Amino acid sequence: EAAETILARDGMAASLREIARQAGVGLATIYRQFPTKEALYEAIVVERVRRLADEARALADADDAGAAFFAFFTRVVADSTDQKMLVDALTDAGVDVKAGMDDLHREMVEAIEALLTRAQRAGAVRVDLAMPELLALLGAACLAAERSRWDAGMRTRALAFMFDGFRPR
């Protein structure tokens, strides 16, 4: 958590010494777990994706399947700017963030598909919205939010228009 907070604030210039101090551990402890700063940041990216997949799986049991689907989509878009910053920083440092994440990516897609299916069965989402289109629209919304620096109000308004297109007519 300390590393994630400091990285978001300072980018790749973040100090491992400051991370250790904030985490309440010695610098050697961090180096034993993460031999490089990039390895630590890569672990942060993996953990963030894992948390999102876990959240999607947890929402699959929500009473209101439609609300769960739309809330998760919104959460992914809201988190996308920070995630993109981490991935870009690692890519610039020569780290292939996607390497070794195939299983986690598959878990995420399966969790999103479960949310979509439940929302469709509940009548909250059009039955003709398929995963390829949903993933394309999710990616587009994330990219737009990151590139245009959407604030919370803009995100809410833009997603409301998008979600209107997801709903049955």
Side-chain angles (χ1 to χ4, degrees):
E1 288 177 20
E4 193 169 353
T5 300
I6 292 169
L7 179 63
R9 183 188 72 207
D10 300 342
M12 288 301 282
S15 160
L16 287 180
R17 189 172 309 283
E18 175 65 11
I19 292 169
R21 189 186 69 68
Q22 291 252 346
V25 299
L27 189 56
T29 300
I30 290 180
Y31 276 113
R32 273 193 296 278
Q33 298 297 315
F34 308 100
T36 65
K37 189 186 303 189
E38 291 79 15
L40 173 60
Y41 296 161
E42 186 173 1
I44 290 169
V45 170
V46 169
E47 181 57 29
R48 288 180 76 153
V49 173
R50 187 173 315 287
R51 283 193 312 247
L52 281 172
D54 290 345
E55 185 177 330
R57 281 191 290 274
L59 285 169
D61 295 328
D63 291 335
D64 187 335
F69 170 81
F70 292 117
F72 185 74
F73 194 104
T74 300
R75 168 95 155 95
V76 171
V77 174
D79 283 359
S80 66
T81 300
D82 289 342
Q83 185 78 357
K84 178 95 167 75
M85 189 251 341
L86 285 169
V87 170
D88 286 350
L90 288 166
T91 301
D92 289 348
V95 176
D96 181 5
V97 178
K98 293 181 182 183
M101 287 188 56
D102 289 343
D103 290 340
L104 187 54
H105 175 67
R106 194 171 15 267
E107 287 176 37
M108 175 68 90
V109 170
E110 287 170 2
I112 293 170
E113 188 167 23
L115 288 174
L116 173 62
T117 300
R118 283 194 73 236
Q120 288 172 323
R121 286 184 183 149
V125 173
R126 297 165 53 150
V127 295
D128 60 341
L129 178 60
M131 280 301 290
E133 291 80 14
L134 175 62
L135 293 176
L137 291 167
L138 180 59
C142 289
L143 186 59
E146 185 264 326
R147 290 247 169 104
S148 300
R149 295 177 172 82
W150 287 357
D151 61 18
M154 177 62 183
R155 181 177 57 246
T156 298
R157 291 185 305 276
L159 290 180
F161 284 111
M162 184 179 278
F163 293 166
D164 281 349
F166 289 0
R167 290 186 176 90
R169 307 240 175 241

